[in-house]
Amino acid sequence: MRFVLQAVFGITPGPFLRPAQLIAWLDEYHALQDPLPPEMLRTLLEELMRVPACAGWSLAKLLESGEGYRRFVRNAWSSATRHILPKSCRSTI
């Protein structure tokens, strides 16, 4: 199944997967609105749960829902920029 995930779906889960790679793949995956078959989704989730860089992420929600993924990115962006942007700009993002 790992080969199919890599060759067909363009994702290579493993211990060296970087968070940015997963975010980029999720962005493309949800833009296509063509969900993985349930068995492939389960396998991918199991593989991603072993990735140390993704520990603590709600991986099931990120995979299942485009809205859940977008909410995650919005919240992460907001947290990352909170100390950079003036308070007056934060509510517009």
Side-chain angles (χ1 to χ4, degrees):
M1 284 250 201
R2 288 182 108 198
F3 174 76
V4 175
L5 284 169
Q6 181 178 4
V8 177
F9 297 103
I11 182 82
T12 307
F16 302 110
L17 180 71
R18 295 186 316 260
Q21 291 172 303
L22 178 57
I23 293 297
W25 182 83
L26 284 166
D27 194 63
E28 185 176 323
Y29 172 69
H30 287 300
L32 294 174
Q33 298 181 353
D34 187 19
L36 289 170
E39 186 175 330
M40 296 295 283
L41 197 58
R42 264 191 310 279
T43 299
L44 178 57
L45 180 58
E46 289 169 5
E47 292 284 333
L48 291 174
M49 290 173 73
R50 294 186 192 113
V51 176
C54 300
W57 288 17
S58 299
L59 295 166
K61 289 181 182 177
L62 294 175
L63 289 169
E64 292 170 0
S65 161
E67 182 52 39
Y69 158 72
R70 287 185 288 281
R71 188 176 316 112
F72 173 83
V73 170
R74 234 182 352 262
N75 292 340
W77 178 257
S78 179
S79 294
T81 59
R82 183 165 284 127
H83 69 285
I84 298 170
L85 295 173
K87 195 172 190 174
S88 61
C89 293
R90 291 184 205 156
S91 63
T92 61
I93 295 178

